[in-house]
Amino acid sequence: MENSNRPKLEIRDLKVEYYTKTQTTVALEKVQLSVADGEFVSVVGPSGCGKSTLLKVVSGLLQPAEGAAYIDGQMVQGVPDQVGMVFQNDALLPWKTAFDNVRLPLEIKGLPRDEQIREAERLLKMVGLEGFRDYHPKQLSGGMRKRVALARTFAYDPDIYLMDEPFGPLDAQTRVKIGEEFLKIWEKVGKSVLFITHDIEEAIALSDRVIVMSARPGRIKAEFKINLKRPRPFYDIRFDPVFKELQREIWNQMSNEI
Ligand code: ADP
């Protein structure tokens, strides 16, 4: 039976270790976290605190030493159907055009060809690339490739977006521009997101909740509810006094860990 109070994603008592010949590294310990249906949760923390490790467990790429992740109450074992991942270095297929990269998940889903075309066109337009449909990835800038990658993830339309520094390699202005587009689209789609970033401002501007992790072994150190109304202007919200206060508090928590 469907339980509407059940979190979309739940992480319980998670411990993750990495083993090498000479040592065992505890990357995460006693991590508890839940993400409600449609909630946007960001995780910030110092480099090496286990943020990527956390996403790898949720996406079924890594087996924890203790505890587990649950999606819709089902324990994650192997890559779940419900997740869509956006990583820092998104591999678009270099031999396919922007259009065909976006169309691919629709084809895999088995949509009729005319619907694939209509939907891929709509998504490319949504990310502002309708004029570039026949370009190949190498003919596009880093920001444009990132837009194609986002459109492709929206085409896949997962229940949960797992995003690991998705705007990482972009310059500051492009990062803001793409973040703004992503937020606008997400506010319409309203799916659950678990978003990893080292950028406190980005985390606050996007999220319903920001989680701060401690230095390794990563634990959840603090949690901040972001009570800023939506839809939000991704850039201008930074001038809101509530934003500034959150930024200060989150930075205080994080700076102790660096
Ligand atoms: P973050 O994403 O917060 O920078 P990671 O999750 O990548 O952190 O890594 C957490 C810790 O685990 C780091 O100290 C890192 O060195 C270690 N680690 C990550 N991957 C491996 C691995 N494959 N083998 C051994 N140690 C690893």
Side-chain angles (χ1 to χ4, degrees):
M1 201 174 75
E2 197 51 38
N3 178 354
S4 58
N5 293 325
R6 189 172 61 197
K8 191 77 200 165
L9 166 67
E10 204 175 1
I11 293 164
R12 284 190 221 142
D13 303 319
L14 195 68
K15 178 173 186 178
V16 179
E17 295 176 331
Y18 288 107
Y19 310 100
T20 61
K21 275 201 189 105
T22 51
Q23 63 177 18
T24 300
T25 307
V26 182
L28 294 172
E29 204 166 47
K30 298 198 173 86
V31 173
Q32 319 272 2
L33 175 67
S34 66
V35 179
D37 198 14
E39 190 183 23
F40 199 128
V41 175
S42 288
V43 178
V44 296
S47 177
C49 74
K51 302 184 294 297
S52 298
T53 300
L54 187 67
L55 274 204
K56 283 185 193 143
V57 171
V58 178
S59 54
L61 300 173
L62 198 64
Q63 189 68 31
E66 290 172 18
Y70 300 81
I71 294 176
D72 295 323
Q74 294 283 99
M75 193 196 285
V76 172
Q77 287 170 313
V79 180
D81 290 340
Q82 299 100 317
V83 306
M85 294 174 256
V86 188
F87 292 110
Q88 189 171 131
N89 296 308
D90 257 306
L92 297 173
L93 299 175
W95 62 89
K96 285 191 184 281
T97 60
F99 180 78
D100 281 334
N101 266 287
V102 177
R103 192 175 62 83
L104 187 64
L106 305 166
E107 189 179 342
I108 293 170
K109 268 196 217 166
L111 251 65
R113 205 178 149 79
D114 56 334
E115 274 182 48
Q116 291 172 26
I117 291 171
R118 223 178 310 129
E119 184 63 2
E121 278 172 351
R122 187 182 74 82
L123 289 164
L124 268 185
K125 186 156 187 252
M126 201 162 74
V127 295
L129 287 179
E130 64 271 46
F132 295 86
R133 55 171 283 166
D134 297 325
Y135 283 54
H136 285 82
K138 69 171 185 305
Q139 300 169 301
L140 300 170
S141 70
M144 287 169 161
R145 283 201 294 272
K146 188 54 75 183
R147 289 197 174 103
V148 176
L150 283 177
R152 184 184 57 183
T153 309
F154 282 114
Y156 177 56
D157 192 28
D159 274 4
I160 307 181
Y161 288 74
L162 300 178
M163 307 183 84
D164 192 353
E165 296 272 4
F167 314 136
L170 304 173
D171 63 77
Q173 290 85 335
T174 313
R175 202 179 164 104
V176 168
K177 194 85 198 88
I178 301 240
E180 187 170 31
E181 278 157 20
F182 172 65
L183 184 61
K184 258 192 218 146
I185 300 168
W186 177 80
E187 278 171 346
K188 281 188 208 134
V189 177
K191 295 285 178 75
S192 307
V193 183
L194 188 59
F195 190 97
I196 303 292
T197 179
H198 64 271
D199 184 332
I200 296 176
E201 289 191 21
E202 186 174 85
I204 302 171
L206 291 169
S207 308
D208 298 314
R209 206 150 40 97
V210 174
I211 308 287
V212 181
M213 280 180 68
S214 68
R216 202 183 70 209
R219 295 169 183 237
I220 305 248
K221 186 177 180 204
E223 191 177 312
F224 294 86
K225 190 115 186 71
I226 311 299
N227 288 317
L228 294 164
K229 65 174 189 331
R230 295 190 186 273
R232 270 178 211 168
F234 181 69
Y235 188 72
D236 289 345
I237 196 71
R238 289 153 212 245
F239 303 106
D240 189 304
V242 174
F243 187 104
K244 288 200 181 300
E245 180 55 24
L246 281 163
Q247 190 181 13
R248 201 177 59 79
E249 286 177 26
I250 294 173
W251 170 247
N252 281 344
Q253 288 291 338
M254 221 168 116
S255 61
N256 293 333
E257 299 297 323
I258 298 169

